[in-house]
Amino acid sequence: GNEWIYFGKEGKAKGEFYYPTDVQLTDSLIWVADAYNNRVQAFDKKGNFVKMMGQDEKMNAATGIFVSEEEVFVTDFENDRVLVFDHDGNLKQELSQHIEKATDLMLFNNELHVINYRNGQINVFNFVVVPRSEVEQNE
């Protein structure tokens, strides 16, 4: 295309980055893993800040991100874990078993593939999506 955008600058405020490491595009948003700000930020397709998540979870180097229809998966490199949020930023799950310096991840056919830098392995977890109606009934 002929139209290009760029956005962001180094910093800690909303819409600023300190070592962005991964990006994913969805229909409406641009999601960025902002490693050393220890968070994920989302922007509209024009680069305007929309929201951030993970800043309250004491992440230490958000290196990888994968966004599904319901969840946002984030690798927390220094804390040896994967955090699973809903799109509003609410923590749904934390995975830490067999996670050693995870750098990236992908959900494919209900399997979560996590790349581990420390042990040179890719771990595959079965991931079951629970429909919102079932979650709401159990609350």
Side-chain angles (χ1 to χ4, degrees), residues 100-114:
E100 296 184 52
K101 306 295 182 220
T103 57
D104 208 355
L105 68 170
M106 174 183 265
L107 184 66
F108 184 74
N109 289 335
N110 291 328
E111 292 181 335
L112 183 64
H113 301 254
V114 180

Side-chain angles (χ1 to χ4, degrees), residues 10-133:
E10 186 173 335
K12 295 192 177 289
K14 292 178 181 178
E16 296 178 347
F17 304 110
Y18 185 44
Y19 207 80
T21 53
D22 202 2
V23 64
Q24 184 168 353
L25 305 176
T26 60
D27 287 339
S28 60
L29 296 174
I30 301 168
W31 299 81
V32 181
D34 189 8
Y36 293 122
N37 276 333
N38 306 309
R39 64 188 181 195
V40 169
Q41 297 191 75
F43 301 85
D44 67 19
K45 294 294 176 100
K46 293 185 179 192
N48 298 306
F49 175 83
V50 174
K51 59 185 162 184
M52 69 177 150
M53 61 184 64
Q55 66 275 14
D56 296 330
E57 303 306 324
K58 297 184 176 147
M59 281 196 284
N60 192 354
T63 55
I65 185 172
F66 184 85
V67 182
S68 71
E69 287 184 29
E70 298 286 327
E71 291 89 15
V72 178
F73 299 83
V74 184
T75 57
D76 184 2
F77 183 81
E78 294 293 340
N79 289 325
D80 296 318
R81 62 186 181 163
V82 171
L83 300 176
V84 183
F85 299 93
D86 65 19
H87 282 221
D88 293 325
N90 301 305
L91 183 65
K92 293 176 68 173
Q93 188 173 6
E94 177 181 327
L95 304 171
S96 57
Q97 225 176 5
H98 307 292
I99 307 290
E100 296 184 52
K101 306 295 182 220
T103 57
D104 208 355
L105 68 170
M106 174 183 265
L107 184 66
F108 184 74
N109 289 335
N110 291 328
E111 292 181 335
L112 183 64
H113 301 254
V114 180
I115 298 172
N116 290 287
Y117 171 79
R118 171 67 44 90
N119 63 17
Q121 295 178 345
I122 297 176
N123 296 80
V124 180
F125 300 90
N126 289 325
F127 188 80
V128 178
V129 177
V130 177
R132 283 185 191 247
S133 59

